[in-house]
């Protein structure tokens, strides 16, 4: 009997976008305990995909990854259940599902025609949106959700010992989202609005109309002005850019306020303590249960996924080249042909 095969993008070496190879004859994966097999329709592209492609040299924190080459990258998927392990509960063949697979272990393997997934990482795709938009939601949506609404677990992140605790959000609170037009940012803007907060969006000028349309109350073009010169007494800054420059937002917060760098940064502990600010970084984790909650908001149109651009799976390299040019508005998504 011949082994069933599929097409997939694989890394046989680490490097730039050119190492994303479209391979035929890749063995079809088989669902393990608690898993389902998904016929993939669309794949969301995320920064960890290029961290893995580059050999994990730019990834902060410990991931527990045991990746070996060749490897299929990718974590975000939307598709249709094709098979179910006997002990996997909640899904049957033919269900439309979406999920962030096995994160943070980097064992997602989503850039493929088929992928196996722990049933616990999946939720039903919101019926009112297509696979392309659903595939853009899992990692960015769960990151925004776990930072702003509910971490969903008590595990410390590799970035800090204390578990992340979201800050109160609601009418009377003001939130600044830096990097507001990107994958995490554009969903965070909408979740903060949904919770009733006033939202200040920081991005380059080309994104102003987009962000105002998503509900931003105020827009700051960081290429023309420094947000830290314009705003003060904020309750929360969600800094999706993060990194070494995140400390400049400390002065924009009121005492008791919170600064959440989505990409960890370095801070002057004395200044943080003196200002009475909470600085906290979480690491996103897969959660089918939280995706089910997000699905309701996506289905109702309360929040929406914007697509920057889409590419056929075979052209994953072009998607990574697009990402490297920066200024992403929403999400990059790969389409998987159904022939
Ligand atoms: N902690 C976690 O678990 C976790 C989870 C997911 C993502 N992340 C990290 O979060 C970061 C964002 O991820 P993403 O998927 O949202 O990325 P993305 O889709 O590439 O978005 C990044 C956005 O930042 C904007 N930007 C770039 N430089 C900026 C600056 N100096 N000031 C303000 N905005 C700037 C870009 O557009 P413009 O410059 O045109 O405004 C772009 O829209 C990545 O570093 C990722 O690794 C962490």
């Amino acid at each position: 009997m011949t082994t069933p095969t599929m097409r997939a993008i694989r890394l046989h070496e680490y490097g730039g976008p050119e190492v994303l190879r479209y391979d035929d004859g890749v063995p079809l994966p088989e669902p393990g305990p608690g898993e389902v097999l998904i016929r993939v329709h669309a794949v969301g592209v995320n920064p960890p995909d290029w961290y893995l492609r580059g050999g994990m040299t730019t990834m902060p924190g410990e991931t527990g990854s045991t990746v070996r080459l060749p490897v299929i990258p990718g974590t975000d998927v939307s598709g249709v259940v094709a098979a179910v392990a006997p002990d996997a509960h909640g899904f049957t063949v033919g269900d439309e599902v979406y999920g962030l697979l096995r994160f943070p272990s980097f064992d997602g393997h989503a850039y493929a025609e088929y992928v196996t997934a722990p049933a616990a990482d999946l939720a039903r795709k919101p019926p009112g949106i297509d696979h392309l938009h659903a595939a853009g939601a899992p990692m960015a949506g769960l990151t925004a959700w776990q930072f702003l609404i509910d971490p969903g677990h008590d595990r410390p992140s590799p970035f800090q010992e204390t578990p992340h605790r979201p800050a109160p959000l609601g009418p009377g609170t003001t939130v600044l989202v830096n990097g507001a037009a990107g994958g995490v940012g554009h969903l965070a803007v909408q979740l903060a609005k949904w919770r009733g907060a006033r939202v200040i969006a920081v991005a380059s000028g080309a994104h102003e109309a987009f962000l105002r349309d998503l509900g931003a109350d105020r827009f700051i073009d960081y290429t023309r002005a420094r947000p830290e010169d314009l705003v003060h007494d904020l309750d929360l800054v969600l800094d999706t850019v993060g990194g070494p420059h995140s400390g400049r937002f400390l002065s924009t917060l009121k005492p008791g306020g919170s600064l959440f760098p989505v990409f960890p940064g370095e801070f002057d502990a004395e200044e943080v303590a003196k200002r009475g600010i909470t600085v906290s970084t979480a690491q996103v984790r897969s959660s089918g249960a939280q995706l089910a909650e997000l699905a309701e908001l996506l289905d109702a149109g309360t929040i929406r996924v914007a697509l920057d651009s889409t590419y056929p799976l075979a052209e994953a390299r072009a998607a990574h080249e697009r990402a490297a040019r920066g200024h992403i508005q929403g999400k990059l998504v790969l389409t998987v042909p159904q022939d």
Side-chain angles (χ1 to χ4, degrees), residues 76-280:
D76 275 10
V77 73
S78 182
V80 177
V81 174
V84 182
D87 63 344
H89 301 297
F91 299 100
T92 54
V93 171
D95 284 346
E96 293 190 315
V97 292
Y98 77 138
L100 164 66
L101 310 187
R102 303 183 192 89
F103 204 80
S105 80
F106 282 77
D107 277 334
H109 313 310
Y111 285 27
E113 290 180 315
Y114 289 88
V115 67
T116 59
D121 291 355
L122 299 174
R124 286 199 161 61
K125 176 180 87 61
I129 67 172
D130 61 21
H131 285 292
L132 282 175
H133 290 81
M139 178 173 282
L142 286 176
T143 302
W145 187 270
Q146 291 173 12
F147 268 87
L148 295 180
I149 311 293
D150 177 15
H153 63 85
D154 261 344
R155 282 181 250 193
S157 80
F159 314 130
Q160 62 190 36
E161 282 174 15
T162 48
H164 175 76
R165 294 273 173 265
L169 276 183
T173 58
T174 302
V175 179
L176 181 147
V177 179
N178 189 39
V184 176
H186 86 296
L187 293 170
V189 165
Q190 297 175 78
L191 286 177
K193 285 304 296 178
W194 167 62
R195 278 299 170 102
R198 179 172 171 265
V199 176
I200 301 170
V202 179
S204 64
H207 303 304
E208 177 167 2
F210 168 68
L211 287 163
R212 288 199 186 275
D213 193 46
L214 294 182
D217 298 285
R218 182 171 173 190
F219 177 81
I220 298 174
D221 176 353
Y222 72 83
T223 66
R224 290 171 175 267
R226 300 185 329 155
E228 61 272 31
D229 294 339
L230 299 179
V231 293
H232 51 86
D233 284 330
L234 304 178
D235 296 281
L236 170 64
V237 171
L238 182 79
D239 182 5
T240 79
V241 178
H245 305 299
S246 204
R248 69 203 171 104
F249 288 111
L250 288 172
S251 65
T252 68
L253 288 156
K254 61 169 67 154
S258 301
L259 171 55
F260 295 163
V262 178
F263 192 92
E266 304 247 318
F267 296 90
D268 178 346
E270 219 171 279
E271 189 188 355
V272 171
K274 197 176 75 196
R275 291 180 180 277
I277 306 294
T278 300
V279 176
S280 180

